[in-house]
């Protein structure tokens, strides 16, 4: 499939076939795509929680206004933000840069210190909003990769994050749920599968200068 055919093929699935489970290889592609997504400063203030447990999915479904995608999916990907992006977190990133690229500390030092200073003076809520932007970017990457890999999916913000945090015990990992992406194979009964795409005309959404 070329990229446009793949994007035409995908749609926000409302009901998956619960008997069709994604192969480990497909899940591995999604894990790698998550990790390869670009993030601001490369800091990756995110983690992916991968759920493949129908009992937990039932609980998450209840915390998602009973949207069936969550209960019927092969797997549910929950995109979470780190609730603390502090000096330690940033230093850890720069240690990785040093290890992997062998960049000398003299080169990294001033950027690292300015980033630490910048984050230290930001209010917590501002940092969370910044991290949430990165979560949306990951969602975009995953949606596109799903389409190319012919994995069905549904991007979701329609759930109660606090309940997700409790069900998945995210606090102990210093995480907060931001977005959900149930994945699997569309059900033959999904009415939405046959609906045409509704998009504003291209001439209206693109300005060429
Ligand atoms: C950030 C985001 C959150 C969404 N949340 C939900 C949701 O909670 N439940 C749902 O059924 N669809 C959700 N959608 C799907 C959109 O309604 C859908 O993508 C849009 O109507 C376009 O349709 P298509 O994706 O089938 O082309 C969400 C989409 C995005 C991008």
């Amino acid at each position: 499939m070329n990229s446009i055919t793949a994007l035409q093929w995908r749609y926000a699935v409302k009901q998956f076939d619960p008997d069709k489970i994604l192969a480990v290889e497909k899940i591995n592609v999604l894990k790698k795509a998550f990790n390869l997504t670009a993030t601001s400063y490369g800091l990756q203030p995110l983690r992916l929680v991968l759920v493949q447990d129908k009992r937990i999915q039932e609980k998450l479904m209840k915390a998602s206004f009973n949207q069936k995608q969550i209960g019927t999916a092969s797997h549910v990907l929950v995109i979470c933000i780190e609730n603390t992006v502090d000096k330690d977190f940033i230093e850890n990133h720069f240690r990785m840069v040093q290890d992997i690229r062998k960049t000398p500390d003299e080169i990294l030092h001033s950027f690292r210190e300015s980033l630490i200073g910048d984050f230290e003076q930001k209010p917590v809520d501002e940092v969370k909003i910044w991290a949430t932007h990165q979560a949306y970017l990951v969602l975009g990457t995953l949606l596109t990769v799903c389409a190319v890999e012919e994995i069905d999916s549904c991007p979701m913000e329609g759930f109660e994050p606090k309940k997700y945090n409790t069900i998945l015990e995210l606090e102990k990992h210093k995480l907060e749920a931001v977005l959900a992406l149930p994945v699997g194979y569309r059900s033959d009964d999904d009415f939405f599968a046959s609906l045409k795409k509704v998009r504003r005309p291209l001439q209206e959404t693109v300005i060429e200068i």
Side-chain angles (χ1 to χ4, degrees):
M1 273 208 270
N2 71 35
S3 52
I4 297 303
T5 311
L7 291 173
Q8 289 281 2
W9 171 84
R10 69 145 296 280
Y11 75 102
V13 172
K14 305 290 184 236
Q15 193 176 336
F16 291 91
D17 183 336
D19 297 325
K20 290 192 185 156
I21 302 301
L22 286 166
V24 176
E25 292 76 24
K26 291 281 187 193
I27 293 298
N28 285 342
V29 170
L30 296 182
K31 288 198 252 182
K32 287 180 186 169
F34 166 80
N35 212 38
L36 282 169
T37 300
T39 55
S40 174
Y41 307 114
L43 284 177
Q44 295 183 276
L46 305 169
R47 285 179 82 176
L48 182 65
V49 176
L50 200 51
V51 181
Q52 186 191 12
D53 180 325
K54 285 284 181 285
R55 277 177 315 143
I56 295 178
Q57 287 173 232
E58 281 292 315
K59 288 185 191 170
L60 294 176
M61 189 170 85
K62 288 194 185 117
S64 313
F65 312 104
N66 279 316
Q67 297 190 76
K68 277 195 199 147
Q69 310 82 308
I70 297 286
T72 55
S74 162
H75 295 67
V76 178
L77 279 57
V78 182
I79 303 170
C80 303
I81 56 167
E82 300 277 355
N83 66 17
T84 314
V85 179
D86 56 9
K87 189 170 187 280
D88 279 355
F89 187 90
I90 296 170
E91 281 181 342
N92 192 47
H93 168 72
F94 280 89
R95 257 194 303 277
M96 270 201 311
V97 176
Q98 233 171 328
D99 285 352
I100 294 170
R101 294 189 174 158
K102 313 291 174 214
T103 313
D105 192 52
E106 306 85 78
I107 292 178
L108 298 175
H109 175 264
S110 68
F111 182 41
R112 180 183 60 224
E113 293 313 307
S114 82
L115 217 48
I116 290 170
D118 193 28
F119 274 81
E120 273 175 348
Q121 50 112 38
K122 274 192 219 285
V124 173
D125 284 350
E126 201 181 309
V127 177
K128 282 189 185 170
I129 291 168
W130 166 81
T132 301
H133 291 159
Q134 318 309 313
Y136 277 83
L137 192 56
V138 158
L139 179 71
T141 302
L142 290 174
L143 280 174
T144 307
V145 171
C146 279
V148 170
E149 293 285 329
E150 296 183 58
I151 297 170
D152 281 308
S153 67
C154 182
M156 288 179 68
E157 55 191 357
F159 63 87
E160 296 175 80
K162 288 204 171 101
K163 290 191 179 165
Y164 267 49
N165 296 345
T166 306
I167 295 164
L168 300 172
E169 300 181 18
L170 296 179
E171 202 164 319
K172 74 177 180 200
H173 300 288
K174 297 184 179 173
L175 297 174
E176 293 178 20
V178 171
L179 289 162
L181 184 70
V183 293
Y185 294 102
R186 61 190 74 176
S187 161
D188 292 339
D189 299 332
D190 191 0
F191 166 73
F192 284 81
S194 59
L195 296 182
K196 285 190 171 164
K197 284 239 171 279
V198 179
R199 294 293 189 271
R200 293 163 67 192
L202 210 52
Q203 310 87 281
E204 201 179 301
T205 56
V206 179
I207 299 171
E208 294 192 57
I209 296 174

Short mmCIF file of all heavy atoms in Angstrom, two decimals, residues 93-112:
data_model
loop_
_atom_site.label_atom_id
_atom_site.label_comp_id
_atom_site.label_asym_id
_atom_site.label_seq_id
_atom_site.Cartn_x
_atom_site.Cartn_y
_atom_site.Cartn_z
N HIS A 93 19.20 11.75 30.28
CA HIS A 93 19.17 11.85 28.82
C HIS A 93 20.56 12.20 28.29
O HIS A 93 21.06 11.58 27.34
CB HIS A 93 18.15 12.90 28.37
CG HIS A 93 18.29 13.25 26.93
ND1 HIS A 93 17.92 12.38 25.92
CD2 HIS A 93 18.81 14.35 26.31
CE1 HIS A 93 18.20 12.93 24.75
NE2 HIS A 93 18.73 14.13 24.96
N PHE A 94 21.20 13.18 28.91
CA PHE A 94 22.52 13.62 28.42
C PHE A 94 23.59 12.55 28.63
O PHE A 94 24.52 12.43 27.84
CB PHE A 94 22.91 14.97 29.04
CG PHE A 94 22.23 16.11 28.33
CD1 PHE A 94 20.99 16.55 28.73
CD2 PHE A 94 22.84 16.71 27.23
CE1 PHE A 94 20.35 17.59 28.05
CE2 PHE A 94 22.21 17.75 26.55
CZ PHE A 94 20.96 18.19 26.96
N ARG A 95 23.42 11.74 29.67
CA ARG A 95 24.34 10.61 29.87
C ARG A 95 24.23 9.63 28.69
O ARG A 95 25.22 9.11 28.20
CB ARG A 95 24.03 9.89 31.18
CG ARG A 95 25.03 10.25 32.29
CD ARG A 95 24.93 9.29 33.47
NE ARG A 95 23.60 9.24 34.05
CZ ARG A 95 23.13 10.11 34.93
NH1 ARG A 95 23.88 11.10 35.35
NH2 ARG A 95 21.92 10.00 35.42
N MET A 96 22.98 9.42 28.23
CA MET A 96 22.78 8.53 27.08
C MET A 96 23.44 9.10 25.83
O MET A 96 24.07 8.37 25.06
CB MET A 96 21.28 8.37 26.79
CG MET A 96 20.63 7.23 27.51
SD MET A 96 19.10 6.73 26.71
CE MET A 96 18.24 8.24 26.46
N VAL A 97 23.30 10.41 25.63
CA VAL A 97 23.93 11.05 24.46
C VAL A 97 25.44 10.83 24.52
O VAL A 97 26.06 10.45 23.52
CB VAL A 97 23.61 12.58 24.42
CG1 VAL A 97 24.35 13.25 23.25
CG2 VAL A 97 22.12 12.84 24.32
N GLN A 98 25.98 11.02 25.71
CA GLN A 98 27.43 10.85 25.89
C GLN A 98 27.86 9.40 25.61
O GLN A 98 28.83 9.17 24.91
CB GLN A 98 27.80 11.23 27.32
CG GLN A 98 28.90 12.25 27.37
CD GLN A 98 29.10 12.75 28.79
OE1 GLN A 98 28.16 12.82 29.59
NE2 GLN A 98 30.32 13.10 29.11
N ASP A 99 27.08 8.45 26.16
CA ASP A 99 27.41 7.03 25.97
C ASP A 99 27.31 6.62 24.51
O ASP A 99 28.19 5.95 23.97
CB ASP A 99 26.44 6.13 26.77
CG ASP A 99 26.75 6.17 28.25
OD1 ASP A 99 27.78 6.76 28.62
OD2 ASP A 99 25.94 5.62 29.03
N ILE A 100 26.20 7.00 23.88
CA ILE A 100 25.91 6.48 22.54
C ILE A 100 26.72 7.21 21.47
O ILE A 100 27.24 6.58 20.55
CB ILE A 100 24.38 6.57 22.26
CG1 ILE A 100 23.64 5.61 23.21
CG2 ILE A 100 24.06 6.22 20.80
CD1 ILE A 100 22.14 5.75 23.23
N ARG A 101 26.83 8.53 21.61
CA ARG A 101 27.52 9.29 20.55
C ARG A 101 28.96 9.65 20.90
O ARG A 101 29.66 10.22 20.08
CB ARG A 101 26.76 10.59 20.27
CG ARG A 101 25.39 10.34 19.67
CD ARG A 101 24.78 11.65 19.21
NE ARG A 101 23.54 11.41 18.52
CZ ARG A 101 22.58 12.33 18.38
NH1 ARG A 101 22.75 13.54 18.88
NH2 ARG A 101 21.48 12.04 17.72
N LYS A 102 29.33 9.33 22.11
CA LYS A 102 30.69 9.67 22.59
C LYS A 102 30.97 11.18 22.51
O LYS A 102 32.09 11.60 22.23
CB LYS A 102 31.79 8.91 21.81
CG LYS A 102 31.53 7.42 21.63
CD LYS A 102 31.62 6.67 22.94
CE LYS A 102 31.22 5.21 22.79
NZ LYS A 102 30.55 4.66 23.96
N THR A 103 29.89 11.96 22.71
CA THR A 103 30.07 13.41 22.66
C THR A 103 30.74 13.88 23.95
O THR A 103 30.27 13.54 25.04
CB THR A 103 28.69 14.11 22.52
OG1 THR A 103 27.96 13.45 21.50
CG2 THR A 103 28.83 15.60 22.19
N PRO A 104 31.81 14.66 23.85
CA PRO A 104 32.49 15.10 25.08
C PRO A 104 31.60 16.04 25.91
O PRO A 104 30.79 16.78 25.36
CB PRO A 104 33.72 15.86 24.57
CG PRO A 104 33.76 15.66 23.10
CD PRO A 104 32.45 15.13 22.63
N ASP A 105 31.81 15.96 27.21
CA ASP A 105 31.00 16.76 28.14
C ASP A 105 31.13 18.27 27.88
O ASP A 105 30.17 19.01 28.05
CB ASP A 105 31.39 16.44 29.59
CG ASP A 105 30.39 17.03 30.56
OD1 ASP A 105 29.18 16.78 30.38
OD2 ASP A 105 30.81 17.77 31.47
N GLU A 106 32.31 18.71 27.42
CA GLU A 106 32.50 20.16 27.16
C GLU A 106 31.48 20.66 26.14
O GLU A 106 31.05 21.81 26.20
CB GLU A 106 33.91 20.47 26.60
CG GLU A 106 35.08 19.97 27.40
CD GLU A 106 35.42 18.53 27.05
OE1 GLU A 106 36.06 18.29 26.02
OE2 GLU A 106 35.06 17.63 27.84
N ILE A 107 31.10 19.78 25.20
CA ILE A 107 30.15 20.20 24.16
C ILE A 107 28.71 20.20 24.71
O ILE A 107 27.92 21.08 24.40
CB ILE A 107 30.28 19.28 22.91
CG1 ILE A 107 31.64 19.58 22.26
CG2 ILE A 107 29.13 19.48 21.92
CD1 ILE A 107 31.97 18.76 21.05
N LEU A 108 28.41 19.20 25.55
CA LEU A 108 27.03 19.05 26.03
C LEU A 108 26.71 19.96 27.22
O LEU A 108 25.54 20.31 27.44
CB LEU A 108 26.78 17.60 26.45
CG LEU A 108 26.91 16.54 25.34
CD1 LEU A 108 26.77 15.15 25.94
CD2 LEU A 108 25.84 16.75 24.27
N HIS A 109 27.74 20.28 27.99
CA HIS A 109 27.56 20.92 29.28
C HIS A 109 26.61 22.13 29.28
O HIS A 109 25.63 22.18 30.02
CB HIS A 109 28.94 21.30 29.84
CG HIS A 109 28.88 22.05 31.11
ND1 HIS A 109 28.93 23.43 31.17
CD2 HIS A 109 28.71 21.62 32.38
CE1 HIS A 109 28.81 23.81 32.42
NE2 HIS A 109 28.68 22.73 33.18
N SER A 110 26.87 23.12 28.41
CA SER A 110 26.10 24.36 28.52
C SER A 110 24.64 24.15 28.12
O SER A 110 23.73 24.71 28.74
CB SER A 110 26.75 25.49 27.73
OG SER A 110 26.64 25.23 26.37
N PHE A 111 24.40 23.31 27.10
CA PHE A 111 23.01 23.04 26.69
C PHE A 111 22.26 22.31 27.81
O PHE A 111 21.13 22.64 28.16
CB PHE A 111 23.00 22.23 25.39
CG PHE A 111 21.62 21.93 24.86
CD1 PHE A 111 20.61 22.89 24.89
CD2 PHE A 111 21.33 20.68 24.31
CE1 PHE A 111 19.33 22.60 24.40
CE2 PHE A 111 20.06 20.39 23.82
CZ PHE A 111 19.06 21.35 23.88
N ARG A 112 22.94 21.32 28.39
CA ARG A 112 22.32 20.55 29.48
C ARG A 112 21.94 21.48 30.65
O ARG A 112 20.81 21.44 31.14
CB ARG A 112 23.29 19.48 29.98
CG ARG A 112 22.71 18.62 31.12
CD ARG A 112 23.73 17.63 31.63
NE ARG A 112 24.90 18.28 32.15
CZ ARG A 112 26.17 17.89 31.91
NH1 ARG A 112 26.42 16.84 31.17
NH2 ARG A 112 27.18 18.56 32.42
#
